[in-house]
Amino acid sequence: MTDHITSTDPRTGAHVTEAAPTPLGEVRRITAAAAAAAPELEHRGRAFRAHLLRAVAARLEERRDAIVDLGRRETGLPEARLNGELTRTAYQAEFFAGVIEDGGYLEATIDHAADTPMGPGPDLRRLLVPIGPVAVFGASNFPLAFSVPGGDTVSALAAGNPVIVKAHDSHLGLSQLSFAALAQACADVDAPEGTVGIVFGTKAGAALVADPAVKAVGFTGSLTGGKALLEIINGRTEPIPFYGELASVNPLVVSAAAAAERPEAIANGLVASITGSGGQLCTKPGIVFVPKGTDGDRLLAAAAALIAETAAHPLLNARIADSYRAIAASYTAAPGVKELAVGPAAPQEGSFGSPRLLEVDAADFTPAVAEECFGPSAIAVRYGDAAELGRAFAALPASLTATLHTAEGDPDLGPLVALVRPLAGRLVFDQFPTGVLVSWAQHHGGPWPSTNTLHTSVGATAIRRFLRPMTWQNAPEAVLPPELRDDAAVPQRVDGRLRL
């Protein structure tokens, strides 16, 4: 049928999978089922949800070979990358099972009735509770870890919310296969009907966001796509939270001392970070500040030589490939920008992008060349002193990360930290920002336009997005959640003191 959505192999352009767009009536049925499941899913408790998430991990592992094979054909990503991403995705589910069991995320707080300077105080008990059905939009560049079975999905389920995923058009088959693992895991533990759902197509995605049953949206994608969904939310009778990871250039600064100490080592790591996964990572360092002079020249010469030898990489879809070429061309045409190196020519068939390294003087660096270029490219901005670096930084948008390469006892370290900290959610020192560990201390977010909230989409506190605070005042014990009773086996703050 001509109205079907089709995924293609970006290496060849050949069709891989197709799916029918979800009718709007079916979207309403799915959201109604999620709304009906929500109270029961919360009632089943934390132990049940931990069991569910471990079942999700097991069912994903069970399908590993099929997922990786189909993923290669729909994304062009190599087998090793997809195997690693599947391992991370299963680990995320296991990780959030542990977060649930720990219980600290609930922020359980008890103030017993007592006299206060304001007079007699009532018994107050506060807890974070599930927000309700969550819509999750799959990302093109992480077809597993940020898609159907990814971090948004498992953190929302961990919080006690049903999830409805809008599948990404670029990997329809992988979305269907991953969703089958979710659905089977739900059946394994006898989860309420409606705990997970999936829709296909742009209109179905818009209807999902507008549906009154949906109480929050998780999104990883372009700034344009995020703004479009925000417009839908703003038109709702009941506004809801929107958690969007949107755009990031991830500035990397090399100090003069670091450029003198290890130019080749920095160049090697930089090129690997720029070109890994075809440069299609939201933490790719797209703008690199390099000191003027012979040390900076050596660093960029080494990087340029590596770029010139790096083959073109299949990009995730034709739209991304077209955008990459258009933005790269606009950079090259900008005043003061010159091309240092371009990788071998891309094949004619498929959707490929050749790596490239550009250079511009700090005095010529403007917001026009500070736009995110999704693909294997970066711009080196040459600066002479701290004042010139500071003026160039003023042209940057905020990012998910900022990276500093300095030397032992470097006098520039303190000033550089002060310069970059306001623009990022994660500061990286003497490493590279690509690669985001799932952990308790991780933060994957940043000021606008990298994200539109203060929350993270990776790590334990990602669960906070899909919870809301509620207080019980003078409540009978019989109606209190187990975690708010005096003998609860979770961390609690009782009368102002933390009790573990």
Side-chain angles (χ1 to χ4, degrees):
M1 294 176 62
T2 57
D3 63 343
H4 275 43
I5 314 160
T6 303
S7 67
T8 60
D9 187 332
R11 300 166 298 181
T12 64
H15 289 188
V16 179
T17 312
E18 65 177 30
T22 306
L24 300 190
E26 178 64 6
V27 175
R28 288 191 292 272
R29 187 200 67 76
I30 292 170
T31 58
E40 178 62 19
L41 187 60
E42 179 180 6
H43 175 72
R44 298 276 186 97
R46 292 181 297 118
F48 169 79
R49 298 199 300 275
H51 186 38
L52 168 59
L53 292 183
R54 292 193 172 103
V56 167
R59 288 300 183 179
L60 288 170
E61 286 287 1
E62 182 180 85
R63 291 164 168 77
R64 178 179 287 271
D65 290 346
I67 285 173
V68 170
D69 178 66
L70 183 54
R72 289 180 67 245
R73 289 186 286 129
E74 281 195 318
T75 69
L77 294 170
E79 182 176 341
R81 155 64 200 272
L82 287 163
N83 264 309
E85 188 178 336
L86 180 54
T87 297
R88 169 188 171 161
T89 305
Y91 170 69
Q92 281 182 149
E94 296 268 8
F95 175 79
F96 274 102
V99 171
I100 300 168
E101 290 170 336
D102 174 85
Y105 76 94
L106 292 165
E107 299 179 13
T109 307
I110 299 173
D111 291 331
H112 289 108
D115 290 333
T116 77
M118 298 172 60
D123 185 274
L124 297 171
R125 301 182 183 230
R126 180 184 184 272
L127 195 73
L128 298 182
V129 301
I131 198 169
V134 174
V136 169
F137 280 69
S140 62
N141 60 334
F142 279 88
L144 299 167
F146 281 84
S147 197
V148 173
D152 284 354
T153 295
V154 296
S155 59
L157 288 172
N161 306 293
V163 173
I164 307 159
V165 183
K166 191 276 178 184
H168 198 283
D169 290 357
S170 290
H171 43 83
L172 299 169
L174 200 53
S175 295
Q176 292 165 337
L177 188 54
S178 300
F179 183 75
L182 289 184
Q184 184 60 59
C186 287
D188 291 342
V189 301
D190 193 27
E193 184 181 353
T195 295
V196 294
I198 190 168
V199 302
F200 296 87
T202 301
K203 289 182 179 178
L208 183 61
V209 174
D211 195 291
V214 170
K215 301 302 179 184
V217 177
F219 174 82
T220 300
S222 69
L223 184 59
T224 300
K227 286 182 174 179
L229 296 183
L230 276 170
E231 277 196 28
I232 296 171
I233 289 171
N234 290 336
R236 288 174 50 123
T237 301
E238 175 200 7
I240 57 174
F242 174 80
Y243 301 110
E245 189 225 286
L246 306 171
S248 191
V249 296
N250 305 299
L252 184 150
V253 183
V254 181
S255 75
E261 180 182 83
R262 55 184 194 281
E264 288 82 10
I266 293 173
N268 287 337
L270 177 64
V271 171
S273 193
I274 291 168
T275 60
S277 295
Q280 299 167 112
L281 301 176
C282 47
T283 51
K284 181 204 75 175
I287 299 177
V288 185
F289 293 86
V290 178
K292 294 176 181 176
T294 56
D295 295 327
D297 291 345
R298 285 173 58 205
L299 190 159
L300 289 180
L306 292 169
I307 289 286
E309 298 170 354
T310 303
H313 194 284
L315 302 183
L316 292 159
N317 55 50
R319 179 185 57 79
I320 288 174
D322 290 344
S323 176
Y324 175 71
R325 287 189 285 266
I327 294 174
S330 72
Y331 280 179
T332 307
V337 176
K338 65 178 181 180
E339 202 167 68
L340 292 182
V342 180
Q348 292 299 308
E349 70 279 0
S351 302
F352 284 77
S354 295
R356 62 186 63 234
L357 181 63
L358 308 175
E359 183 183 41
V360 66
D361 191 275
D364 296 321
F365 182 64
T366 67
V369 290
E371 177 185 0
E372 180 183 29
C373 184
F374 199 65
S377 75
I379 298 179
V381 181
R382 305 300 300 273
Y383 69 94
D385 55 26
E388 196 169 34
L389 178 61
R391 286 192 295 271
F393 245 74
L396 284 176
S399 288
L400 295 165
T401 73
T403 299
L404 300 178
H405 279 263
T406 58
E408 185 74 24
D410 199 321
D412 292 331
L413 178 59
L416 286 176
V417 170
L419 177 67
V420 304
R421 182 181 164 190
L423 287 182
R426 176 165 58 105
L427 300 184
V428 181
F429 296 87
D430 301 321
Q431 295 180 327
F432 295 89
T434 41
V436 183
L437 181 69
V438 178
S439 73
W440 285 86
Q442 187 59 268
H443 182 76
H444 188 63
W448 177 270
S450 56
T451 58
N452 70 314
T453 77
L454 302 178
H455 295 281
T456 180
S457 59
V458 179
T461 51
I463 197 173
R464 183 63 181 83
R465 298 171 297 167
F466 306 121
L467 296 159
R468 67 180 183 89
M470 184 169 179
T471 293
W472 285 255
Q473 180 168 333
N474 283 355
E477 184 176 278
V479 301
L480 285 173
E483 296 87 355
L484 280 183
R485 295 173 185 172
D486 289 327
D487 59 350
V490 297
Q492 294 177 324
R493 185 170 292 279
V494 181
D495 298 328
R497 292 184 179 276
L498 186 62
R499 186 185 73 190
L500 300 178

